[in-house]
Amino acid sequence: MERQNLVKDSLLDLMAEMVLDKAVRQFNKEQLYAAIDVALIKGDKETFIELTNQLKQLLNEEEK
């Protein structure tokens, strides 16, 4: 019984970590999209390129 509870707790911990990780990635994507929009509005090419590179990296990490 003790082992079964340990396995159950481990699975719940893993699921919680996965949900939190997904939420953080989604938040980061939304922040990057918003910052990219601001860079476009301001005409800040350097920041735009930097932010789009960060977004590309984040999206590539999600594909793995």
Side-chain angles (χ1 to χ4, degrees):
M1 187 71 164
E2 180 71 30
R3 179 179 161 97
Q4 188 176 18
N5 287 338
L6 182 60
V7 170
K8 184 178 177 181
D9 288 347
S10 294
L11 286 174
L12 289 173
D13 287 347
L14 180 58
M15 289 175 63
E17 186 176 337
M18 290 171 64
V19 169
L20 181 60
D21 186 51
K22 184 174 182 172
V24 168
R25 282 194 318 268
Q26 183 63 34
F27 176 80
N28 287 339
K29 277 197 305 189
E30 290 172 6
Q31 294 295 312
L32 282 170
Y33 280 120
I36 288 168
D37 288 344
V38 170
L40 281 171
I41 291 167
K42 290 182 175 181
D44 186 348
K45 183 178 177 180
E46 186 176 312
T47 301
F48 172 79
I49 292 171
E50 179 183 331
L51 293 171
T52 54
N53 286 335
Q54 289 178 25
L55 180 60
K56 286 177 192 177
Q57 182 178 5
L58 184 64
L59 294 174
N60 285 335
E61 290 172 1
E62 284 184 353
E63 291 178 3
K64 294 179 183 178

